[in-house]
Amino acid sequence: MTALVPERYAVAFRLYPYAKSPDQDAATPVRRKVVIVGGGPIGLATALDLGRRGVPVVLLDDHEGAGLGSRALCFAKRTLEICDRLGAAGPMLDKGVQWNVGKVFHDDRLLYDFNLLPEGGHAFPAFINLQQPWFEKFLHDAIVKAQAEGAPIELRGRNRVDAVTPAADHVTLDIMTPDGPYRLETDWLIACDGARSPVRGMLGLSFDGRVFEDNFLIADVKMKADFPTERWFWFEPYFKSGDSALLHKQPDDIWRIDFQLGWNIDRAKELEPANIRKRVDAMLGPGVEYELDWCSIYTFQCRRMEKFRHGRILFAGDSAHQVSPFGARGANSGIQDVDNLAWKLTLVLDGTAPESLLDSYDRERIHGADENILNSTRATDFITPKTPVSKLFRNAVLTLAEHLPFARTVVNSGRLSVPCTYDGSALNGPDHPDMPPRTRPGSPCPDAPVAGGWLLQALGRGFTLMTINAEAPEQVTAHGLTVPRLALATTPEIAARYLGEAPGAVYLIRPDQHVAARWDRYDEAAVAAALAKALGKE
Amino acid sequence: MLTTTPNLTRPDESYAALIATHEGLSEAESHALNARLILILMNHIGDHAILTDAMRLARDPKGQG
């Protein structure tokens, strides 16, 4: 029976076993509001965010849970903040490994170490390392909890989309299941089906960018080693296991080891356990006992779709944009896509915002994708120089970095993921010159301690009017929305992050915790106008 | 703004020092030294716009006026 939808890979956690849906026996195709294709981290987070906002969603995946293998590994603070809004961050933080120190080596020399030195006064650390299957499992746990609380989320395992037919106001899907095919219609389709996106392929949409001619071997090894919880990166390592190498700690005594193998390799041969062990032995030294947990060879591309919105079809995560792994900008940027899309689609569906609000998803997240592609491309060019002169300069930087701090600023083994600021977005309202640049319109709100907890947890699910030393009504009603006020005391963190030189501040905060507009005092008409702008009504 | 008018305080001495710095080095070592020297001078200058002006001028010396 499963032959109709064969497994393409092994599953680490079986989360949503196939169960026949009444939709499969319907005489005419059932119309759904939102269908999500793909049950990876981005699809699950999209289902969770929309479902918690009361939007009925059906998620389709051709497997029944999280695929085996760690793949995405470093989850950034912004991702944890978003997952916290979705009710999923606690277990991630408990299970994940926190790290702050990185060391950079060239050959056999330690060039320098760095500390991410997270700024104080944030609920979440700069990064945690957590295997992707666990990240997906915790999102799924949150979905189960949300379902129990009434969130209209339905997950359908072993449901493979075989055809996508767009129409003006809906999309028709041909779906294969272990019980045979059925057809479904949906008002909106969100494709979260990964870098090789079958949906993108079926629509014949292009995915252009740059291919990097290099192969990387991932060896996740299980060992009781007493290496510190740090990120170690080698350029041209003395142990000759690759042109570069990375060692990074994961939960459960698992270590991520990455070797850069070059372009012309014999893939099958390199994947033989004996050959992987040769490289790992050379790196770890004699007498270290370990087991190979999961291994893979990957090449990578930096590319994106020209548009993320195609009528009633929206692309999110790797299906829309792909980066090299340096900088942990893959899954982290996909989660920011979800954060940006879910509230907009919710407000379009309930008629509060015009459909054109979704075009701002396209523009804002393309802005984010371009920033990520730029950073990841630069890191890749530094790690794998493409010409003799580029290698000459790269190694000159490394030589200087051992002695001169200025050169360390040029060393690039990945610029770690930070959320992008939507500068120039059509949704942005007025700025105020006396307030800090880091919280200008378009910026994600930096967290801060507030009475009883954390600022980001105090922000509502919808828009919030945040006031500091400023008078304002307890709520503002305009354009079909009621925006509650959050009055904050002037703590040192709030002053430094939000007030700057201004005596008082009023911020309009979007549902994705990005700043929409800010003023030094409350003005009803100005707030209403900024709200209209942030809803795409202008 | 990139200075292209004469600015060296002791042109002959500076040039001789540059050549002397390379004395006894293989060609590969000299290339590596040049790369380090460029990076050190880039950091001293600091300003991105001046650096890119200098790079353009080095690539196309006739491009200047």
Side-chain angles (χ1 to χ4, degrees), chain A residues 195-209:
Chain A
R196 293 188 195 89
S197 176
V199 170
R200 193 187 59 226
M202 286 181 259
L203 293 169
L205 297 169
S206 62
F207 196 41
D208 296 326

Side-chain angles (χ1 to χ4, degrees), chain A residues 488-517:
Chain A
L488 298 178
T490 315
T491 62
E493 289 90 353
I494 292 293
R497 293 168 199 179
Y498 290 94
L499 213 45
E501 305 301 317
V506 174
Y507 279 75
L508 180 64
I509 313 282
R510 301 176 2 173
D512 57 7
Q513 304 176 339
H514 280 249
V515 174

Side-chain angles (χ1 to χ4, degrees), chain A residues 209-220:
Chain A
R210 215 175 125 189
V211 179
F212 289 85
E213 297 198 338
D214 221 319
N215 287 280
F216 284 76
L217 168 69
I218 299 181
D220 278 356

Side-chain angles (χ1 to χ4, degrees), chain A residues 392-393 396-397 399-400 404 406, chain B residues 31-32 35-36 38-40 43:
Chain A
L392 178 75
F393 275 111
V397 168
T399 304
L400 294 174
L404 298 162
F406 90 79
Chain B
H31 282 311
R36 292 195 297 273
I38 288 170
L39 290 165
I40 290 165
N43 181 62

